[in-house]
Amino acid sequence: MKNSNSKKSLDSSFYESDLLLYLKKREGYEMNENRNSFKGSIGFVLAAAGSAVGLGNIWRFPYLAAKDGGGLFLVIYIVLALTFGFTLLTTEIAIGRKTKQSPLTAYSKLKSKWKPLGIIACIVPIMILPYYVTIGGWVLKYLLVYITGNGHVAAQDGYFSGFIGQTAEPIIMMLVFTIIVAFIIFRGVNSGIESSSKIIMPLLIVLVLGVSVYSLTISYTDIDGTTRTGLQGLGAYVIPNMKGITVKQFCTVLMDAMGQLFYSLSVAMGIMIAYGSYVSDDANLGKSINQIELFDTIVAFLAGVMIIPAVFVFMGRDGMTASGPSLMFVSLPKVFDSMGFAGNVIGAIFFAMVFFAALTSAVSIMEAIVSSFMDEFKLSRNKASAIETVICIAVAVIVCLGYNKLLFDIKLPNGVHAQVLDIMDYVSNNVLMPIVSIGTCILIGWILKPKTVVDEVEKTGIKMGRKGLYTVMVKWVAPILLFLLLLKSLGILTII
């Protein structure tokens, strides 16, 4: 009788266990052992660094460095990378690994009432991806132009505006770029993201180093006999210019460096949470974060070495005022054209490098969305990828048409005249992203406490470096700086 009761009790416990497991699956609990993960820390670091190394590093960092006193900007940027950037990067990656969830579901798993922050964090990449693949299509167009030996055509006045003003070709280029991105995402974390990053990122570094070295060796004598060299351009880039610097100007440089770092690290887009969720529990998280920081900073610096000396040599200091699309698609083709035959080769190498940078970033943005759809709606990767690809293409077509059929002009709160692409960029980057990061700092710094992240980083028994700094930054400094950045973006803070 006693054995019979024991058997019934045992059967009952097994039944309850099976029932509990079933209910958990029905309620959407992610079974950590079934979740995709990076095979090694190298794959994670390269994928995360590939996300961080995007168009912002290439077309905005050199412009800000040239505008903000060269070396002064670089010093402030490096200090912020080791403090502000380290805090935001560590927080998001740790949240991802701790919850094993995508941005849409991770915040609610940490604190049930914080689901709205996860929704905003998912909206950001959904808004960014359509215009990012549009720009990726522009890069692909220029790469093809230089590969076919027609770089001189791209240097002509009005070429870029004429291209984006067309109806069909920008859409075709966008579609090709999007299909490449979607193909990598369809293949999954290991066969797609990790494998492609291990090939693309080393190649990207080789191309960056090659163009940087060449940029330092060139020289040019203009019609009035003035000779400018690449090394002189490097000096304009790295030597701090403190002449006439005021407190207000210093604060402007600080805000510029902070804004650039914030946007270039791929935080507040859900990317690092998604990638963090694929990191194994036995990985050294602190070491990986340090490597991502270093990788991003080095590439951002080398982007300046690539561009500023070359622009300085052929266009002087006046040519260093261009940024964004005008720098990449208007000024640089003219610089390459001034190099003669070598310019076509250098242009092809440069746009190949930009293409790879744009591709790795676009892959990470799409993965943040796809992983969110998979976790929230329990979709397969193929179904989630297909849905997001269709959404992305539909919106990207509107972005492309924003320069021709749907062309209009409005003035944003930050004073910029905008079309469809600019509006999407402004709302996602300047409004929603600071809100996500401020909310994340409040959640971790004040509600769950910094120990939540510290414990996750130290899970393997390795002590977290800069632990005290992290606590101060996530509770006080980072949210204050982010709030100031938000006020400036909204046009409220105008004194700096």
Side-chain angles (χ1 to χ4, degrees):
M1 188 69 179
K2 186 176 180 180
N3 288 340
S4 177
N5 289 338
S6 297
K7 186 175 184 300
K8 285 181 180 179
S9 176
L10 193 61
D11 288 343
S12 177
S13 66
F14 275 124
Y15 173 76
E16 289 173 358
S17 176
D18 289 342
L19 180 61
L20 181 60
L21 183 61
Y22 172 75
L23 289 174
K24 282 185 175 183
K25 287 183 176 180
R26 282 292 299 269
E27 290 170 11
Y29 283 79
E30 183 68 34
M31 304 306 291
N32 292 350
E33 61 269 22
N34 294 332
R35 189 174 184 83
N36 287 322
S37 62
F38 291 111
K39 291 180 179 178
S41 59
I42 294 297
F44 164 60
V45 170
L46 290 177
S51 170
V53 177
L55 295 172
N57 290 74
I58 298 168
W59 71 23
R60 193 166 182 267
F61 187 94
Y63 156 73
L64 289 176
K67 177 178 82 74
D68 289 336
L72 174 63
F73 175 87
L74 294 177
V75 170
I76 293 175
Y77 184 90
I78 291 171
V79 170
L80 286 173
L82 296 173
T83 54
F84 178 73
F86 159 76
T87 300
L88 300 181
L89 200 58
T90 300
T91 301
E92 293 203 0
I93 293 174
I95 288 174
R97 191 173 77 166
K98 181 178 179 62
T99 61
K100 298 297 181 189
Q101 294 287 294
S102 60
L104 182 56
T105 52
Y107 288 100
S108 59
K109 188 160 185 179
L110 288 173
K111 198 76 174 175
S112 59
K113 292 183 179 179
W114 282 71
K115 178 79 172 181
L117 187 61
I119 294 173
I120 299 173
C122 186
I123 290 173
V124 170
I126 290 175
M127 289 191 67
I128 291 175
L129 187 61
Y131 72 76
Y132 208 94
V133 296
T134 298
I135 299 172
W138 299 350
V139 175
L140 178 60
K141 165 67 176 178
Y142 273 67
L143 174 60
L144 294 175
V145 166
Y146 278 92
I147 287 177
T148 55
N150 294 311
H152 63 283
V153 177
Q156 295 175 1
D157 291 337
Y159 180 82
F160 177 61
S161 58
F163 163 62
I164 63 174
Q166 296 178 45
T167 303
E169 192 173 12
I171 294 177
I172 293 170
M173 292 296 166
M174 175 274 295
L175 285 172
V176 174
F177 185 84
T178 305
I179 289 169
I180 296 171
V181 174
F183 174 76
I184 295 173
I185 295 298
F186 269 98
R187 288 179 58 81
V189 176
N190 302 131
S191 301
I193 300 170
E194 187 170 9
S195 297
S196 63
S197 296
K198 286 180 177 179
I199 298 171
I200 293 174
M201 292 310 293
L203 186 58
L204 186 147
I205 289 297
V206 170
L207 294 176
V208 168
L209 287 172
V211 177
S212 297
V213 170
Y214 180 81
S215 184
L216 297 178
T217 63
I218 56 179
S219 63
Y220 177 73
T221 302
D222 57 26
I223 54 175
D224 63 1
T226 303
T227 300
R228 293 184 294 270
T229 67
L231 289 176
Q232 289 174 335
L234 178 66
Y237 176 43
V238 301
I239 298 174
N241 181 9
M242 304 295 290
K243 185 178 180 180
I245 191 76
T246 63
V247 174
K248 180 180 178 180
Q249 289 172 330
F250 180 84
C251 290
T252 299
V253 177
L254 175 65
M255 294 299 291
D256 283 347
M258 184 177 68
Q260 174 60 25
L261 180 69
F262 178 62
Y263 302 129
S264 75
L265 279 177
S266 292
V267 293
M269 302 181 196
I271 295 169
M272 292 304 167
I273 293 178
Y275 278 6
S277 73
Y278 303 139
V279 178
S280 63
D281 287 334
D282 59 355
N284 185 338
L285 210 56
K287 181 180 178 181
S288 296
I289 291 168
N290 291 339
Q291 290 170 340
I292 296 167
E293 280 184 287
L294 182 64
F295 207 115
D296 178 69
T297 303
I298 288 175
V299 173
F301 172 76
L302 288 176
V305 177
M306 279 193 303
I307 293 171
I308 290 180
V311 173
F312 174 82
V313 166
F314 292 102
M315 306 181 83
R317 287 191 175 271
D318 292 340
M320 295 163 61
T321 58
S323 68
S326 63
L327 171 64
M328 185 173 296
F329 300 112
V330 179
S331 298
L332 284 177
K334 293 183 182 300
V335 169
F336 297 144
D337 192 50
S338 301
M339 296 178 182
F341 174 77
N344 210 94
V345 177
I346 297 299
I349 295 173
F350 174 80
F351 279 105
M353 180 273 300
V354 177
F355 176 80
F356 289 140
L359 181 61
T360 54
S361 292
V363 164
S364 67
I365 297 169
M366 181 176 276
E367 178 60 24
I369 305 166
V370 169
S371 65
S372 293
F373 288 176
M374 291 170 66
D375 288 341
E376 177 68 18
F377 305 110
K378 309 307 165 194
L379 300 175
S380 67
R381 171 168 289 274
N382 285 348
K383 186 175 290 187
S385 300
I387 291 171
E388 173 49 28
T389 301
V390 171
I391 294 172
C392 173
I393 290 174
V395 179
V397 168
I398 296 174
V399 174
C400 292
L401 295 177
Y403 289 97
N404 40 77
K405 300 292 185 181
L406 303 178
L407 181 64
F408 61 86
D409 184 86
I410 66 168
K411 191 173 183 180
L412 298 173
N414 60 0
V416 175
H417 287 269
Q419 291 79 44
V420 175
L421 187 152
D422 304 298
I423 294 171
M424 295 175 68
D425 179 64
Y426 174 77
V427 174
S428 58
N429 281 257
N430 295 280
V431 180
L432 297 183
M433 283 173 58
I435 289 173
V436 170
S437 279
I438 291 170
T440 303
C441 287
I442 293 172
L443 176 62
I444 297 299
W446 294 96
I447 297 176
L448 299 177
K449 307 302 181 184
K451 190 175 184 298
T452 304
V453 167
V454 172
D455 288 347
E456 183 60 34
V457 175
E458 295 182 340
K459 182 183 288 185
T460 57
I462 301 173
K463 291 295 182 182
M464 176 181 175
R466 294 176 273 179
K467 187 190 302 184
L469 171 68
Y470 174 80
T471 300
V472 173
M473 289 296 299
V474 79
K475 290 187 72 171
W476 299 101
V477 182
I480 291 173
L481 291 177
L482 287 164
F483 184 64
L484 292 176
L485 185 63
L486 177 61
L487 292 181
K488 185 178 181 183
S489 298
L490 294 173
I492 298 172
L493 184 65
T494 58
I495 59 173
I496 54 176

